[in-house]
Amino acid sequence: QVQLVESGGGLVQPGGSLRLSCAASGSIFSINAMGWYRQAPGKQRELVAVITSSGSTNFADSVKGRFTISRDNAKNTMYLQMNSLKPEDTAVYYCYAVLSRYYSDHDQQYWGQGTQVTVSS
């Protein structure tokens, strides 16, 4: 069984910062890509940032220059540092991981339960 647990969400004022964490646990052989999606009320889920196993990153245009993504492979944990937050960043943020559970397993995508980020004065 694989679990992804997010933490770090909350309420922050515009211009503030938050750091989200996503910890993967359970039967894990290797983790390929990890990333974050977000979904605001009434909107489609949006890909925010991705990081590969080698550390390559990609970001949505809306967050470039404000968000950074990183991972600690030894801890199977990924982070999303969000700076200069705007009200339009308000959403539920979901992490995912593409991983294999054992040597001959195929990569599968797993999801966290989501964490609320609210940017408001």
Side-chain angles (χ1 to χ4, degrees):
Q1 192 77 339
V2 173
Q3 276 192 315
L4 269 63
V5 178
E6 297 122 334
S7 60
L11 173 64
V12 64
Q13 291 187 341
S17 298
L18 281 175
R19 189 176 85 150
L20 305 183
S21 299
C22 173
S25 63
S27 178
I28 297 172
F29 176 71
S30 69
I31 300 178
N32 192 344
M34 301 183 79
W36 295 90
Y37 276 81
R38 67 185 181 186
Q39 187 164 23
K43 293 189 176 181
Q44 289 190 327
R45 189 173 288 196
E46 172 191 24
L47 179 61
V48 176
V50 180
I51 184 166
T52 68
S53 56
S54 61
S56 297
T57 60
N58 199 14
F59 297 90
D61 287 342
S62 57
V63 307
K64 280 181 182 176
R66 300 188 297 121
F67 290 11
T68 58
I69 187 171
S70 60
R71 59 192 281 178
D72 183 335
N73 291 328
K75 296 181 179 180
N76 288 338
T77 300
M78 170 181 61
Y79 306 96
L80 184 69
Q81 178 67 43
M82 305 185 294
N83 299 327
S84 302
L85 282 162
K86 304 175 181 180
E88 51 263 43
D89 294 318
T90 296
V92 178
Y93 285 69
Y94 299 90
C95 73
Y96 75 89
V98 179
L99 60 88
S100 57
R101 295 167 296 157
Y102 45 87
Y103 175 74
S104 57
D105 190 23
H106 298 292
D107 279 348
Q108 297 182 67
Q109 191 167 23
Y110 294 83
W111 291 89
Q113 79 286 355
T115 186
Q116 177 70 46
V117 171
T118 302
V119 184
S120 175
S121 55

